[in-house]
Amino acid sequence: MPESSAVNCIPLEDFGGHHPDPNLTYAIDLVNAMKDGDYILGAAFDGDGDRNMILGHKAFFVTPSDSLAVIAANIDVIPYFRKTGVKGFSRSMPTAGAVDRVAAKTGREFFEVPTGWKFFGNLMDAGRLSLCGEESFGTGSDHIREKDGLWACLAWLSILAARKMTVEEILKDHWLMFGRNFFTRYDYENVDSAPANQMMNNLEKAILDPSFAGCLFSHANKTYKVAKADNFEYTDPIDGSISKKQGLRIIFEDGSRVVFRLSGTGSSGATIRLYIDSYEAEEAMHSLNAQDVLKPLVEIALKISQLRELTGRQEPTVIT
């Protein structure tokens, strides 16, 4: 690889004035370079290299959820797993359920855990987990017991070399086999803590009411029926510990999900994260823009939560 292919690689305390998160907003220089150039693979990492974003030719974006699923589906071409064998797969609860389908089809054990790498670590220590990831651009395996963005990029290079296809071709082939989980995340940063807490409290009360199950919500030409709603709770299968209140979930009958999480409710303001996940099996749907496909669910989520009305925020800070 020519030296010119590695950009911003000198460690700096202020990240050279850049935001360290590797996403479409903060890694816009890479996105533009991929759009303008003739490159087969682009990868962005955060300051310590543990998170990663994968782009294909002309900045074809691979969501972290899809990246995890593709690595899982092609895990046998990665040299490390040829030596160690493959155990289970896992993802954080807000992450789209793409890897779930790979686990089901390949007969691997699967775990849905709260956000936080310690939950993956317990499973790895017990010898039950090989590959895991979070929608916040973290991917890892049991080679290091931590997220490792550089390793994820090398895993993609192994897959590209073995499959002899472009990133986009690999994704489209994956969707043809497993279907596509459309996913987006809306981050509302530095929201006043009081209205943020009020929104979450109101929403929890509404969705936990027994009458909420079965409710119909419509936007444009789409209608969704609530199958269940809860505040996610996880019992660790290794040590039996229970983690409560890990995120408000609304799950619809077609498998689509809306998830709300709140963090950083101190004096500096809170961050509200809205996650939308919707599955499509039909090939004709796979090439559609994720934001277009998910727009009805986004609007339904904003209506149910009254986020705009309570926080005054009309648009998110970051869309992933």
Side-chain angles (χ1 to χ4, degrees), residues 104-131:
K105 183 163 281 192
T106 58
R108 311 286 187 195
E109 194 171 19
F110 169 74
F111 305 91
E112 180 183 38
V113 305
T115 297
W117 212 261
K118 66 179 182 179
F119 300 103
F120 297 135
N122 272 6
L123 295 166
M124 289 180 185
D125 291 346
R128 294 175 67 178
L129 182 63
S130 288
L131 180 70

Side-chain angles (χ1 to χ4, degrees), residues 65-78:
S65 310
D66 274 338
S67 181
L68 175 64
V70 167
I71 294 173
N74 294 275
I75 202 163
D76 293 334
V77 310
I78 298 171

Side-chain angles (χ1 to χ4, degrees), residues 36-59:
D36 297 338
D38 189 26
Y39 308 109
I40 62 169
L41 178 72
F45 310 99
D46 64 350
D48 57 0
D50 65 355
R51 288 186 288 164
N52 71 100
M53 177 177 72
I54 300 297
L55 299 176
H57 186 62
K58 297 303 176 184

Side-chain angles (χ1 to χ4, degrees), residues 92-157:
S92 64
M93 181 274 286
T95 303
V99 74
D100 312 27
R101 302 179 187 282
V102 178
K105 183 163 281 192
T106 58
R108 311 286 187 195
E109 194 171 19
F110 169 74
F111 305 91
E112 180 183 38
V113 305
T115 297
W117 212 261
K118 66 179 182 179
F119 300 103
F120 297 135
N122 272 6
L123 295 166
M124 289 180 185
D125 291 346
R128 294 175 67 178
L129 182 63
S130 288
L131 180 70
C132 57
E134 297 179 328
E135 48 69 38
S136 53
F137 296 88
T139 316
S141 86
D142 59 351
H143 73 285
I144 197 174
R145 202 190 180 276
E146 248 301 346
K147 46 182 166 301
D148 187 345
L150 299 177
W151 176 86
C153 182
L154 292 173
W156 265 96
L157 288 172

